[in-house]
Amino acid sequence: MPRFFITRDAIDPAAGTITLRGADAHHIARALRLAVGDTVTVCDDGGTVYDCRLTRIRDDEVAAEILAESEESAESPLLIRLFMAYPKGDKFETVLQKAVELGAARITPFESERCVKRPPLEKQARLAERHAKIAEAAAKQCGRSVIPTVDTPLPFADALRVAASTDLPLFCYEGAGTQSLRAVLERRPDARTVSVIIGAEGGFSREEAQAATDAGCIAVGLGKRILRCETAPAYVLSALSYAYELPRD
């Protein structure tokens, strides 16, 4: 069933209706070619999910009757924030898409010593708009009930400070002195907020790794193989889902 995201001001509780406007309305009318009587799924910004029947379709505005509402359980029980150092080319967009599918609630790019790509300031607003659209499309595709936030870039020191404030700040590092990711997760079954910090193609310098541990982050290794920077986030997010989200029965 097609899925759309709204703010709560699009809901008329008294009438039991929802109004979709702009690009969503045009998509329903022109791209999907839905008809009056067809059903769609609509999610508000509080995580409530509505099953709706279309009652009026125009290019710029679509009205729908609310048939049922629920609090879906598609979201991770963890509040996960992924901090991703800017990789080359369009790899960040791939990371963003997969992070949304794997349950990240927030994705924050940052600059590290070994970043090759550093988007100029004048392009960041345009990139932010594009990244928001990618996150929304991925959330629709995988059945999320909220759209993850994509932040503007942070300096490395700020990324560490924010990450360290969570219950489980994971600094993914291929150098010496790391702990096993599995062991760390097994010791923290009660974690509710998690940060995952991933480097760009060249990883992190020893100085950056030291700064991370000094800030309170936990340096973790991801096994015997060196993962590409676009693979590492999916690896860690999958491990978090396995450890905290999948049923044990």
Side-chain angles (χ1 to χ4, degrees):
M1 189 182 300
R3 181 173 290 249
F4 300 91
F5 293 91
I6 59 168
T7 55
R8 290 188 179 181
D9 58 7
I11 304 169
D12 184 340
T17 60
I18 288 175
T19 303
L20 298 158
R21 297 183 173 87
D24 284 340
H26 190 271
H27 189 60
I28 289 171
R30 294 296 179 178
L32 296 177
R33 296 186 178 276
L34 298 180
V36 169
D38 287 340
T39 54
V40 297
T41 300
V42 180
C43 307
D44 70 19
D45 49 2
T48 303
V49 180
Y50 305 87
D51 294 330
C52 300
R53 180 187 295 117
L54 302 180
T55 58
R56 186 180 71 251
I57 300 175
R58 299 175 183 167
D59 285 355
D60 60 345
E61 185 176 286
V62 170
E65 172 193 7
I66 298 173
L67 302 176
E69 64 179 85
S70 63
E71 302 293 331
E72 282 193 357
S73 58
E75 295 302 308
S76 170
L78 300 173
L79 187 66
I80 305 171
R81 186 166 181 175
L82 171 65
F83 292 84
M84 182 72 209
Y86 271 117
K88 296 177 184 176
D90 59 358
K91 291 179 183 178
F92 182 79
E93 295 182 1
T94 300
V95 169
L96 171 57
Q97 182 186 66
K98 301 310 175 187
V100 172
E101 292 178 29
L102 290 166
R106 194 163 187 169
I107 299 94
T108 306
F110 68 92
E111 293 187 12
S112 63
E113 288 182 21
R114 296 175 180 174
C115 284
V116 174
K117 178 180 179 179
R118 289 179 167 82
L121 187 62
E122 63 271 16
K123 290 186 178 181
Q124 286 181 8
R126 190 173 62 197
L127 278 174
E129 183 178 350
R130 176 173 174 79
H131 292 159
K133 289 180 179 178
I134 292 171
E136 180 176 356
K140 288 178 178 178
Q141 180 275 323
C142 69
R144 296 282 299 263
S145 50
V146 296
I147 303 173
T149 302
V150 186
D151 295 311
T152 54
L154 285 180
F156 180 65
D158 290 346
L160 292 182
R161 176 180 52 78
V162 175
S165 68
T166 59
D167 296 338
L168 191 58
L170 303 173
F171 181 80
C172 301
Y173 184 53
E174 71 280 4
T178 62
Q179 302 179 52
S180 159
L181 175 63
R182 178 176 179 174
V184 170
L185 298 186
E186 287 177 348
R187 289 199 304 268
R188 294 300 309 274
D190 58 337
R192 290 295 174 264
T193 59
V194 180
S195 293
V196 179
I197 308 171
I198 304 288
E201 284 81 1
F204 294 107
S205 68
R206 281 182 291 182
E207 292 76 15
E208 287 175 323
Q210 185 62 54
T213 55
D214 289 347
C217 298
I218 305 168
V220 294
L222 305 183
K224 298 178 180 179
R225 294 169 293 280
I226 301 298
L227 304 180
R228 290 180 179 272
C229 64
E230 66 269 31
T231 306
Y235 181 99
V236 180
L237 293 173
S238 296
L240 290 171
S241 177
Y242 178 82
Y244 292 93
E245 188 171 1
L246 295 185
R248 296 182 182 275
D249 51 25

